[in-house]
Amino acid sequence: MKYHPIPNKLFIRNRHRLSNLLKPKSIAIFHSNDILPTNADGTLRLRQNSDLFYLSGIDQEESIVVLFPDAPDEKHREILFLRETNEHIAVWEGYKYTKEHAREVSGIQTVYWTRQFDTIIRTLIFEAEHIYLNANEHTRADIVVETREARFVQKYQSLYPLHKFERLAPLMHNLRAIKQEEELPLLQEAMRITEDGFRRLLSFVKPGVWEFEIEAELLHEFVRQRSKGFAYEPIIASGANACVLHYLANDQQCKAGEVILLDVAAEYANYNADLTRSIPVSGRYTPRQRQVYDAVHRVMKEATAMLVPGNLWDEYHYEVGKIMESELKGLGLISQHDIDNQDPDWPAYKKYFMHGTSHFLGLDVHDVGSKYRRFEPGMVFTCEPGIYIPEEGLGIRLENNILITEGGNIDMMASIPVDADEIETLMNA
């Protein structure tokens, strides 16, 4: 892997924490993600199943983790199944985990080849009463491709209909929402690499540059620092493109006088940063651009101050909406009449700020966690207010990543320039 080794005590502890949540006489089974096809004989690069990685650190296809805390044979309380390599695979695909290396990475001592899974699981499953299986239960997920885990759920519900089947997703969402001490440096490294990429752009951007040239600069910086690349598809949106929330074309030339909205970040060791900045192509904001920028920045600072223990998702977003409402009035974009006559389900401010302010961050960019759970120390959120004015061809969004602590929070991106004066100074240095 490109990234440095991760201490296996993280994965050992994660398995222990999950095992403590399982019902007595339970077996839990996790699968790696599929390698997805493209066209002809092409495939996409593996993006490992986040839950399997969280429990094992194994970053390879056709891997399975089985947890059976009450297994009669102690060696079967944690099992890792790996794809067995051979000379042909070694020639065409390169290195695959050996059993010894997998033990070192994961801390799981019992390792078998994946081809042995059906035989071994049959000797265990009748000793269990509950079978915990996994599924993608993210509220934003729109799944049109049948996953390896979905196929497995169907197969095992048919094979073992008299067992009691349980859901792993709620347990994993609960665990992953609170970051462990070994996870924070991995997130911070993704953010450090992201910062280097962003600072690189401040001396690169000028009138006439193309959005895809900016993308190339970032990718170069990310990959050379042991990242696989972008944490998500980069948004490099100049001018009116910034009013398209998920603009991905990145194929336009940046013109003097425009602002570029950059929603771009690196991953590191499967952990993700999530950064947004809005910078002037010409190196200086116009008075109107600066007015809108400063309004967004004020909302960002006030919203960040509310990312503290005890607050609740919907209450937090409601309060941010009231702050944004005031700023939009100050910008002349909405009036008190608009507010007095607004639809409570779609407030007036939503015309110019139509998305949420924060989401969980971690192994997934939109990481798992419950909006009904009060904020707790160890949670990591984005904070990303924005104002989008299509009639002015202007979109401003700012985004940092915030760690909630016992005493409040820590801005994990505090060193990345966000103040408008600092950005102008760096772009004109």
Side-chain angles (χ1 to χ4, degrees):
M1 306 305 164
K2 292 177 181 174
Y3 52 85
H4 294 291
I6 302 170
N8 66 18
K9 63 181 179 180
L10 169 63
F11 311 118
I12 293 169
R13 187 189 312 118
N14 288 345
R15 293 193 297 274
H16 179 71
R17 292 164 65 227
L18 175 60
S19 294
N20 286 339
L21 298 178
L22 302 179
K23 295 179 179 180
K25 300 197 72 174
S26 291
I27 191 167
I29 304 171
F30 295 84
H31 286 264
S32 60
N33 280 340
D34 287 316
I35 293 181
L36 298 176
T38 54
N39 296 291
D41 62 348
T43 60
L44 297 174
R45 179 164 48 183
L46 174 71
R47 173 61 172 91
Q48 186 57 292
N49 181 285
S50 295
D51 289 334
L52 184 138
F53 186 83
Y54 184 81
L55 296 171
S56 69
I58 296 298
D59 215 346
Q60 186 170 289
E61 72 282 1
E62 298 179 30
S63 303
I64 307 171
V65 169
V66 175
L67 302 181
F68 190 2
D70 297 326
D73 188 339
E74 187 175 343
K75 74 177 183 181
H76 285 149
R77 292 176 184 173
E78 294 185 343
I79 309 172
L80 173 64
F81 293 87
L82 289 175
R83 180 187 181 192
E84 185 176 8
T85 191
N86 56 43
E87 290 183 5
H88 176 80
I89 292 172
V91 168
W92 287 90
E93 300 180 29
Y95 179 80
K96 301 294 178 185
Y97 287 108
T98 63
K99 290 183 178 181
E100 292 74 18
H101 186 201
R103 291 187 186 104
E104 179 183 339
V105 168
S106 68
I108 297 174
Q109 297 307 306
T110 302
V111 182
Y112 296 113
W113 300 126
T114 303
R115 61 176 172 77
Q116 299 172 273
F117 175 79
D118 288 337
T119 300
I120 291 171
I121 204 71
R122 197 176 298 118
T123 68
L124 303 176
I125 209 158
F126 294 119
E127 301 298 327
E129 292 182 6
H130 303 270
I131 303 175
Y132 280 81
L133 300 179
N134 211 6
N136 186 346
E137 296 186 18
H138 197 291
T139 54
R140 296 190 185 192
D142 182 14
I143 305 165
V144 296
V145 177
E146 188 175 50
T147 64
R148 181 175 292 262
E149 287 193 324
R151 297 192 301 272
F152 188 79
V153 168
Q154 293 177 15
K155 177 180 177 181
Y156 267 56
Q157 286 179 329
S158 174
L159 282 175
Y160 304 105
L162 299 183
H163 278 72
K164 299 169 186 175
F165 286 88
E166 310 287 349
R167 295 158 56 215
L168 279 166
L171 306 183
M172 296 305 299
H173 290 200
N174 178 61
L175 293 174
R176 285 174 51 192
I178 305 295
K179 301 303 180 281
Q180 299 298 293
E181 60 178 335
E182 296 87 357
E183 293 182 276
L184 295 175
L186 302 174
L187 278 167
Q188 196 69 71
E189 181 66 1
M191 296 172 201
R192 186 198 64 76
I193 296 170
T194 299
E195 176 173 358
D196 283 357
F198 176 66
R199 287 183 178 275
R200 179 183 179 120
L201 294 183
L202 293 177
S203 60
F204 175 79
V205 168
K206 58 185 181 299
V209 72
W210 291 79
E211 292 168 349
F212 55 77
E213 292 181 297
I214 296 171
E215 182 177 350
E217 289 294 307
L218 288 167
L219 184 60
H220 175 93
E221 190 64 35
F222 293 172
V223 173
R224 81 182 191 91
Q225 298 204 46
R226 293 182 176 269
S227 168
K228 283 184 284 191
F230 291 103
Y232 48 90
E233 286 297 311
I235 298 169
I236 301 168
S238 58
N241 296 331
C243 296
V244 180
L245 296 183
H246 288 165
Y247 174 79
L248 298 177
N250 299 346
D251 63 356
Q252 297 299 301
Q253 194 169 29
C254 304
K255 300 178 179 62
E258 291 181 333
V259 170
I260 309 171
L261 188 155
L262 302 160
D263 192 337
V264 291
E267 72 79 50
Y268 178 79
N270 292 320
Y271 285 83
N272 301 285
D274 194 354
L275 174 79
T276 307
R277 291 292 186 268
S278 299
I279 65 174
V281 175
S282 301
R284 302 281 182 192
Y285 298 98
T286 67
R288 176 59 170 174
Q289 290 167 354
R290 179 63 183 265
Q291 186 184 30
V292 176
Y293 189 102
D294 287 346
V296 174
H297 196 191
R298 285 192 294 271
V299 175
M300 182 189 194
K301 287 186 281 191
E302 291 192 56
T304 298
M306 290 188 281
L307 288 170
V308 295
N311 279 349
L312 193 62
W313 187 274
D314 285 341
E315 295 170 0
Y316 160 75
H317 278 96
Y318 175 81
E319 293 301 326
V320 174
K322 299 299 289 184
I323 298 165
M324 180 61 78
E325 178 182 273
S326 176
E327 291 291 351
L328 292 174
K329 279 182 64 179
L331 292 170
L333 293 171
I334 62 174
S335 66
Q336 189 61 46
H337 179 268
D338 296 327
I339 296 168
D340 293 341
N341 294 278
Q342 67 188 358
D343 178 352
D345 294 328
W346 192 255
Y349 76 83
K350 287 285 189 180
K351 180 177 180 181
Y352 296 100
F353 175 42
M354 61 291 295
H355 59 78
T357 309
S358 295
H359 58 76
F360 288 94
L361 183 71
L363 276 170
D364 292 302
V365 176
H366 291 158
D367 209 20
V368 293
S370 172
K371 63 178 287 187
Y372 303 107
R373 181 179 182 180
R374 291 197 177 272
F375 300 166
E376 298 177 42
M379 291 181 173
V380 178
F381 289 101
T382 63
C383 184
E384 49 181 308
I387 294 174
Y388 312 91
I389 317 172
E391 58 269 29
E392 297 181 24
L394 176 64
I396 303 288
R397 181 164 69 247
L398 301 174
E399 177 180 19
N400 276 5
N401 303 157
I402 311 299
L403 168 66
I404 295 181
T405 64
E406 292 283 354
N409 67 50
I410 294 172
D411 185 345
M412 299 179 75
M413 289 182 160
S415 63
I416 305 179
V418 65
D419 181 80
D421 288 333
E422 183 180 6
I423 286 174
E424 287 185 340
T425 297
L426 291 169
M427 292 188 76
N428 291 277

